[in-house]
Amino acid sequence: QVQLVESGGGLVQPGGSLRLSCAASGVAFSINTMGWYRQAPGKQRELVATITTGGDTNYLDSVKGRFTISRDNAKNNVSLQMNTLKPEDTAAYYCHAHVVLHGGRMYVSWGQGTQVTVSS
């Protein structure tokens, strides 16, 4: 069983930067793809970025060139560096991880969310 805890959210002005971190703990056979979703009130949930164990990344079009996802496979941590933040980036950001349990069962673990607010 894997637990995910996010940190690093907060209030920032447009054009500013934040770094979100997600720490995984618990027992699992492996943790595969990790990433970040976000959801703002009145908007659909968006997959912001993902990263595989091999380091391949995928980004939401609106954050390409501004956000960078990274991970430490040994520690099973994932981070999201967010630069040149815009008001439309305001949302609750949720870390997730694709978990393989001993025995082969797979599921997606979710963090509790961390709020990012971009406003002047």
Side-chain angles (χ1 to χ4, degrees):
Q1 185 173 352
V2 170
Q3 308 294 326
L4 303 177
V5 179
E6 305 101 329
S7 62
L11 175 65
V12 65
Q13 293 187 345
S17 298
L18 286 173
R19 184 176 179 87
L20 306 183
S21 296
C22 175
S25 63
V27 178
F29 179 76
S30 67
I31 298 177
N32 297 328
T33 298
M34 302 182 75
W36 295 86
Y37 278 90
R38 70 184 183 188
Q39 188 164 29
K43 296 186 66 178
Q44 297 291 321
R45 184 183 65 182
E46 298 178 307
L47 180 59
V48 178
T50 60
I51 184 167
T52 69
T53 54
D56 295 324
T57 58
N58 183 271
Y59 295 94
L60 181 68
D61 285 345
S62 62
V63 309
K64 288 180 179 177
R66 300 188 298 119
F67 290 11
T68 302
I69 189 170
S70 61
R71 69 185 291 169
D72 183 329
N73 288 330
K75 298 179 180 179
N76 286 319
N77 292 167
V78 63
S79 297
L80 185 69
Q81 179 66 45
M82 305 184 295
N83 298 326
T84 319
L85 284 160
K86 303 175 180 180
E88 53 263 43
D89 296 319
T90 296
Y93 284 71
Y94 297 87
C95 176
H96 71 275
H98 293 235
V99 178
V100 180
L101 299 174
H102 295 286
R105 186 167 72 88
M106 302 176 66
Y107 75 99
V108 179
S109 182
W110 293 84
Q112 81 285 355
T114 185
Q115 180 67 37
V116 172
T117 301
V118 185
S119 176
S120 60

